Amino acid sequence: MKPRPAGGRALDRVLGRACDARVWAHQSAAVRIGMAGVWLLLLVHEFPRRERIWGPDAPWSWRLAEHSLDRSHAFSVLRWSGGELWFEVFYVMSAAVAVALLLGWRTRTASLLFLISVLSLDHRNENVLNAGDTIFRITAVYLVFTRCAQVWSLDARRRGRAPDTGDRTGVVLWSVCGLVLVWATLLALLTGGWALLLWGCWAGQAVWRGVRDRPGVRRPLELIGHLLHNGAVAMMMIQLCLLYGSAGWYKIQGAPWQDGTAVYWSAGLDWLEPYPALSHALSSHALTVLALTYGTVLVQVAFPFSLLDRRVKNVLLALLFAEHIGIGLLLGLPYFSLSMIVADLVFLPTGFLVAAGERAAGLRRRSAGAAGADSAGGGGAGGGRPAPDARGAEAGTAARSEEHAEERAEEGEGVTPSW
């Protein structure tokens, strides 16, 4: 039997990697947790000002918002009603969806609802946020197509511990979503494209649940899901490379970036100066300003090419993190900086993320063990303490159960979409 040519073996490796559900599992989970956490932080921070930003009586009035949505053909659930109650319910539900996505609870549904939440609030008033809202929108779209709950999620833990039990919660959630879609469709609140998309996602969940016990049909659908996951993560990386590359080359064309004074002028803007003393201290050192100006351009232009070498990429990624932290502190743009840092997590090495996850799990187990020991030591006189052997057996069983759940998720057994 003749050996396959080198080109054929390379193609097999590429196809095998593209169809592997474990590729970029930790990166997509990190982006999911980060984006949901930052969006939740934004909603909580703006809660006292929510009426003036997105409410029915905001300065950007409802009539202006409708005119803008008609021109851009953008989507916003807030357009369905101009009442105060609808806005308050939607705002609270948006925070709840962010929590669900952060924890990885019913992630397939939560990711779609998260996209709807981000689009609805952003399109209601596009004049109040900064460029960070663009990163939120782009990342939310890609998260819908990823299997971002394979690790570090309640879905992975539930599937690892009880993969064959019934899913009543999922059925109830699917039914409630169906009723909302029926209501919106009957009242003509959905345009053709969005109605087709949402009804397609809803019907797809029902089809998957009906065929998931049939291996002949399940396997092709799983492969399609793996391809969508890997393709979405790859597109996220490409999007960020285009963003950094275009930003760097655009800066080169500006005179302040060419003569090395751009950071000086940026630090002197009164309306983007949360810490004047820090900004003045930075702008008073000409050499530091020159190095930061040229260094920013160099890092942004070089980052897309650094993906060819892992070590160089990791160094430039750390410099990008430092750059975004500086922007958040000096220019008062925390959510833009946080959204960019979270999006850049997709480039982190898998080994680093696995080690960070194991360290966090170890700290959680030690904290739980310490809390359990304190509870046992402070028990009532009638309760008594469990024997040391029993406590050790219980801790060992819990640890083995958690490790087993993580191993099943890593092996691809926990990649079934959940409602």
Side-chain angles (χ1 to χ4, degrees), residues 143-216:
L143 282 177
V144 173
F145 297 97
T146 62
R147 298 190 184 278
C148 54
Q150 297 183 55
V151 295
W152 304 334
S153 68
L154 296 179
D155 288 345
R157 176 175 295 186
R158 184 184 70 252
R159 288 190 294 262
R161 291 179 175 177
D164 298 325
T165 58
D167 189 10
R168 296 181 180 178
T169 305
V171 174
V172 172
L173 183 60
W174 177 81
S175 302
V176 171
C177 292
L179 292 176
V180 174
L181 283 177
V182 170
W183 170 74
T185 303
L186 292 178
L187 295 181
L189 300 176
L190 291 174
T191 59
W194 277 99
L196 182 63
L197 174 64
L198 296 178
W199 275 110
C201 294
W202 183 83
Q205 293 285 4
V207 171
W208 172 257
R209 190 169 184 85
V211 304
R212 66 179 183 177
D213 295 329
R214 302 178 182 179

Side-chain angles (χ1 to χ4, degrees), residues 252-273:
I252 292 177
Q253 303 175 36
W257 293 98
Q258 293 177 6
D259 57 28
T261 61
V263 172
Y264 172 83
W265 297 114
S266 300
L269 297 175
D270 294 337
W271 56 284
L272 288 177
E273 199 176 36

Side-chain angles (χ1 to χ4, degrees), residues 328-349:
L329 290 176
L330 295 174
L331 301 183
L333 301 174
Y335 296 110
F336 166 74
S337 298
L338 288 174
S339 63
M340 288 300 304
I341 290 174
V342 170
D344 289 341
L345 295 179
V346 74
F347 293 108
L348 285 179

Side-chain angles (χ1 to χ4, degrees), residues 10 16 32-33 44 67-68 70-71 95 99 111 126 192 252 256 346 362 388:
R32 166 183 62 82
I33 294 171
V44 173
H67 179 67
S68 176
D70 288 336
R71 287 193 307 168
V99 173
S111 62
E126 298 180 346
I252 292 177
V346 74

